[in-house]
PDB file of all heavy atoms in Angstrom:
ATOM      1  N   ALA G  19       8.496  27.064   5.401  1.00  0.00           N
ATOM      2  CA  ALA G  19       8.304  26.069   4.362  1.00  0.00           C
ATOM      3  C   ALA G  19       6.924  26.266   3.756  1.00  0.00           C
ATOM      4  O   ALA G  19       5.936  26.202   4.479  1.00  0.00           O
ATOM      5  CB  ALA G  19       8.430  24.661   4.956  1.00  0.00           C
ATOM      6  N   THR G  35       9.458  38.046   7.557  1.00  0.00           N
ATOM      7  CA  THR G  35       9.744  38.714   8.861  1.00  0.00           C
ATOM      8  C   THR G  35       8.560  38.523   9.765  1.00  0.00           C
ATOM      9  O   THR G  35       7.435  38.231   9.340  1.00  0.00           O
ATOM     10  CB  THR G  35       9.951  40.245   8.679  1.00  0.00           C
ATOM     11  OG1 THR G  35       8.736  40.788   8.154  1.00  0.00           O
ATOM     12  CG2 THR G  35      11.112  40.526   7.762  1.00  0.00           C
ATOM     13  N   ALA G 109       5.500  18.675   3.774  1.00  0.00           N
ATOM     14  CA  ALA G 109       5.008  18.951   5.146  1.00  0.00           C
ATOM     15  C   ALA G 109       3.518  19.278   5.086  1.00  0.00           C
ATOM     16  O   ALA G 109       2.740  18.744   5.886  1.00  0.00           O
ATOM     17  CB  ALA G 109       5.777  20.080   5.773  1.00  0.00           C
ATOM     18  N   GLN G 559      -5.205 -23.801  -9.516  1.00  0.00           N
ATOM     19  CA  GLN G 559      -5.362 -24.271 -10.888  1.00  0.00           C
ATOM     20  C   GLN G 559      -4.270 -23.639 -11.724  1.00  0.00           C
ATOM     21  O   GLN G 559      -4.150 -22.403 -11.757  1.00  0.00           O
ATOM     22  CB  GLN G 559      -6.743 -23.878 -11.442  1.00  0.00           C
ATOM     23  CG  GLN G 559      -7.894 -24.479 -10.658  1.00  0.00           C
ATOM     24  CD  GLN G 559      -9.191 -24.458 -11.431  1.00  0.00           C
ATOM     25  OE1 GLN G 559      -9.930 -25.421 -11.419  1.00  0.00           O
ATOM     26  NE2 GLN G 559      -9.513 -23.359 -12.098  1.00  0.00           N
ATOM     27  N   ASP G 577      11.320 -19.377   2.861  1.00  0.00           N
ATOM     28  CA  ASP G 577      12.775 -19.189   2.895  1.00  0.00           C
ATOM     29  C   ASP G 577      13.444 -19.576   1.565  1.00  0.00           C
ATOM     30  O   ASP G 577      14.261 -18.831   1.040  1.00  0.00           O
ATOM     31  CB  ASP G 577      13.416 -19.990   4.033  1.00  0.00           C
ATOM     32  CG  ASP G 577      12.939 -19.486   5.394  1.00  0.00           C
ATOM     33  OD1 ASP G 577      11.770 -19.036   5.482  1.00  0.00           O
ATOM     34  OD2 ASP G 577      13.707 -19.548   6.355  1.00  0.00           O
ATOM     35  N   PRO G 633      17.277   3.487 -21.733  1.00  0.00           N
ATOM     36  CA  PRO G 633      16.491   4.249 -22.693  1.00  0.00           C
ATOM     37  C   PRO G 633      15.021   4.325 -22.263  1.00  0.00           C
ATOM     38  O   PRO G 633      14.538   3.452 -21.566  1.00  0.00           O
ATOM     39  CB  PRO G 633      16.599   3.450 -23.991  1.00  0.00           C
ATOM     40  CG  PRO G 633      17.637   2.390 -23.751  1.00  0.00           C
ATOM     41  CD  PRO G 633      17.806   2.248 -22.300  1.00  0.00           C
TER      42      PRO G 633
END
Side-chain angles (χ1 to χ4, degrees):
T35 61
Q559 298 198 137
D577 296 32

